[in-house]
Amino acid sequence: MTEQTVSRLIVASIVTVIACAIAIQTRFLGDAIPKTYLQTLLMVAFCMAPLLIMIKIISRLFLSGFKGKSVSFIETAFFFYYIFLTVEARAEWRCYIEEQKKS
């Protein structure tokens, strides 16, 4: 996932939370959509927003925190955080690891 995709998903999940909360409280949609569906959607979107924000923070900040450590430690951290990193962050980590191996 790219940084731009993560940002768009964060905005979409926040908008979904707000729209569902308004629809549940005001009964704006009436009986068109059952309340349980709206509550389930609200719960999923409410859980996704913090997860996506965490992914964005990990992708941006964790490599800078590991700079100066040993290459083996950084490689282990890269392996551990791989699923949470965006495409750009993965490329940055790989370049940094290769650079450290050469020097």
Side-chain angles (χ1 to χ4, degrees):
M1 214 177 336
T2 63
E3 286 268 342
Q4 187 177 14
T5 304
V6 173
S7 296
R8 287 181 180 169
L9 287 173
I10 290 169
V11 170
S13 63
I14 291 172
V15 168
T16 303
V17 166
I18 293 169
C20 285
I22 291 171
I24 290 170
Q25 293 297 320
T26 62
R27 294 189 175 91
F28 176 70
L29 299 174
D31 292 330
I33 300 175
K35 188 176 179 180
T36 56
Y37 291 159
L38 288 174
Q39 288 172 338
T40 303
L41 181 61
L42 176 68
M43 179 186 67
V44 169
F46 194 73
C47 292
M48 285 302 294
L51 178 67
L52 291 167
I53 291 169
M54 180 187 74
I55 288 172
K56 192 166 185 170
I57 290 170
I58 287 172
S59 292
R60 287 205 175 169
L61 299 178
F62 272 43
L63 178 60
S64 61
F66 292 141
K67 287 185 177 177
K69 304 279 185 183
S70 67
V71 176
S72 62
F73 177 80
I74 294 174
E75 286 177 331
T76 304
F78 176 69
F79 176 73
F80 181 72
Y81 292 115
Y82 185 82
I83 60 171
F84 298 112
L85 298 174
T86 59
V87 174
E88 295 89 352
R90 288 177 188 164
E92 184 181 349
W93 279 62
R94 282 189 198 109
C95 289
Y96 183 76
I97 290 170
E98 291 300 320
E99 179 183 304
Q100 291 301 311
K101 283 182 179 180
K102 288 179 183 177
S103 59

